[in-house]
Every structure is written in C-alpha cells, then in structure tokens.
Amino acid sequence: MLSEGRGVARHCAVWGSPIGHSLSPVLHRAAYAALALHHWSYERREVDEASFADAFAGLDETWVGLSLTMPLKEVALRAATTVTRVAAVTGAANTLVRDADDSSGWTAHNTDVHGLTTALRLAGCTDPTSLLVIGSGATARSAIATLAPGGRVVLMVRHRVRPETLAQAEAAGLTVETVGLGEWAAGAEVDAVVSTVPPASVPDLDGFPVATHRDHRPVVLDAVYGSGETRLQRTARERGWSVAEGTDMLLHQATEQVRLMTGHDAPLGAMSDALRVALRDRRDEP
C-alpha cells in the first residue's frame, strides 16, 4: 500500500468479465466515505484475460489496488511481483496491491479465504473438518483452504477436477473424493456445502440430504450472490441446514481488501449498511 497521501488522488477498481453486476464499488466507496478518504476512487472495468496485460501495464502510480473477479484470479497471480502464502497455496489472487517500498511492484493476495471462513463462521460452521465443494476452479480452491490438514473434501464436478485443485487438496493432507454433479449422498455427513458455480448449474436437488448432525447444523454457502434466494439455498433450509449468505463472503473479503489497500481498518458497519441498501435496490428493480 502506498502512503495515503492526503489530498493526493488514489485509484482502485474491480476488474473482470462480466463486471456490470459487481457490488465491490458499493463496498469500497462506502469505506472511503467513512474513512474520510476523499481523494480515493473505486471503479469497475470490463477486463478479460486477453486484455489484462495491456490494462495492467497502463496503470500509473496513482493506482494502488485492484480487486479481481472471474476470469482474472489466475492471470493476476502471474502478474504480481510478490505472492502471499494463501494466494500461492490456492493459485488464485482476487487482490493486487501496489508495494509501498517499490512502486513498480505489486503483491497478490487472496482475501476470498477470509471471506469464506467468516461467512461460514457467522452461519455456525467454525473450523470445518469436511466440505462438499461444487466446482473446482479458483473459488473452490479458496474453499478448500478453509480446511485444516487431515480434513475431508468432496469435489462435485461435471467432468473432472482441475489438476491444480486436486494438487492443492492433496498437498494440504486432505482426504479427497470426487463425485459427479447431483451425487449428493457423499455430502450427507459434511460440515458444509460450498457452491462455486452458477445456481442453474446445480442439478438434482431432490437428492439433497436432510441434516442429520446431532451436535450442529451443517451449512450451505452459495458463493454466487445478487439474484435472491437460490434453489440450493431454499432446498437446504427446507431440509434443516443453515445458510451462509454469499453476500457475507463478499462483504468480508472486501473488508480485508480495504485494509490491505488503504492501511486502515475497514469500517464494517458502513460497508454492511451500503451493501444492504444496494441489494434492496437491486431486488426492487423492475
């Protein structure tokens, strides 16, 4: 993070494709207002893998932070000069921050793990030892990183697990199982189900298991947010599971981004209020 430089313009943004749905600007702008960072700005920009290199090379030194969403979490990692341990383990970066002591350098972070861990905890799933993860991309690897060594992960995929995701799980000492989409029996005893795929891609919910844990309720987290309750969330509630909101993951990964980019503790209350208003307005749109 560069010196705050009161009165000096500082620019941040979220990049990805598609990007129009992103609520990151709502969260970061609310933080800047609450922190009185009046010369900071936060925008969204449509950037895909093919255009990333030119867009990144075009940033001048007033740019101090980028949030990255799909499909840029892996290409951003390769663009960094320094990679944090969590970003390296997951092979994915959702945050790039300009280095304070070398303005030409950028550090890659993965704050999705923090967001996932916090969202699961708020729903009652603390220190999970077993997960069923739908999908095997960058967000799936962040979910896997919430498990301690010796845990169990079930990867539900359409075809095959991405090799880098399987390698991460095995390197972490996890027991790994692979099942096809809709094969829910393997999820009957997990602490949480984390879906990282579009809601319409989650099939055969008739077979979703009833919660049978005696000491705690298992949790479902659908990482896709903004379109109201998903079929997975609705089915989970009906069958006795707790539901962790994808917007909680979004909020808490963003608070960590604000801290990394600005050097200030994030104003959680202001960011949460802004997110709630934005979601309400989105639901009210015709």
Side-chain angles (χ1 to χ4, degrees):
M1 192 270 300
L2 289 181
S3 172
E4 179 183 311
R6 294 282 184 183
V8 178
R10 295 286 183 246
H11 301 301
C12 302
V14 58
W15 289 4
S17 183
I19 200 62
H21 69 288
S22 175
L23 290 173
S24 290
V26 169
L27 293 166
H28 286 256
R29 290 169 186 171
Y32 300 164
L35 294 169
L37 298 177
H38 303 303
H39 295 276
W40 286 63
S41 68
Y42 190 97
E43 306 298 333
R44 63 166 64 89
R45 179 175 175 181
E46 186 83 14
V47 179
D48 59 17
E49 291 174 286
S51 59
F52 177 87
D54 286 343
F56 190 60
L59 300 180
D60 64 28
E61 291 187 4
T62 65
W63 283 85
V64 297
L66 293 175
S67 307
L68 293 314
T69 185
M70 298 302 292
L72 300 179
K73 294 183 180 182
E74 292 160 336
V75 68
L77 187 75
R78 297 192 292 271
T81 49
T82 304
V83 177
T84 62
R85 185 191 66 82
V86 175
V89 165
T90 58
N94 74 325
T95 310
L96 287 172
V97 180
R98 190 183 293 273
D99 294 340
D101 54 356
D102 178 7
S103 62
S104 66
W106 291 78
T107 297
H109 302 263
N110 182 331
T111 71
D112 281 339
V113 176
H114 175 76
L116 281 160
T117 300
T118 305
L120 289 171
R121 176 176 54 79
L122 291 172
C125 182
T126 302
D127 298 325
T129 60
S130 58
L131 292 179
L132 186 151
V133 181
I134 309 172
S136 66
T139 304
R141 295 197 294 278
S142 295
I144 291 169
T146 67
L147 289 169
R152 168 179 172 246
V153 61
V154 180
L155 296 168
M156 180 180 284
V157 294
R158 184 180 301 278
H159 298 299
R160 66 184 184 91
V161 176
R162 291 178 60 168
E164 58 269 35
T165 304
L166 184 61
Q168 174 199 341
E170 292 176 343
L174 304 178
T175 299
V176 183
E177 301 173 36
T178 303
V179 299
L181 285 179
E183 295 179 13
W184 295 108
E189 298 297 329
V190 297
D191 294 323
V193 169
V194 178
S195 177
T196 69
V197 302
S201 300
V202 182
D204 302 326
L205 286 169
D206 288 345
F208 191 85
V210 173
T212 58
H213 291 57
R214 295 184 179 182
D215 56 345
H216 65 279
R217 295 174 68 191
V219 173
V220 159
L221 191 157
D222 200 327
V224 178
Y225 66 88
S227 57
E229 185 178 55
T230 67
R231 292 186 305 117
L232 175 60
Q233 291 173 323
R234 183 167 56 253
T235 301
R237 285 194 176 98
E238 291 171 350
R239 300 188 185 182
W241 293 58
S242 295
V243 172
E245 300 295 338
T247 48
D248 282 340
M249 173 189 167
L250 171 71
L251 172 63
H252 289 282
Q253 65 82 26
T255 62
E256 185 67 0
Q257 287 183 331
V258 168
R259 184 187 68 81
L260 291 167
M261 293 177 187
T262 71
H264 294 276
D265 289 338
L268 177 60
M271 295 172 71
S272 179
D273 289 346
L275 178 60
R276 182 171 59 253
V277 171
L279 290 170
R280 181 196 66 200
D281 291 347
R282 182 172 287 188
R283 288 193 297 267
D284 292 342
E285 289 178 357

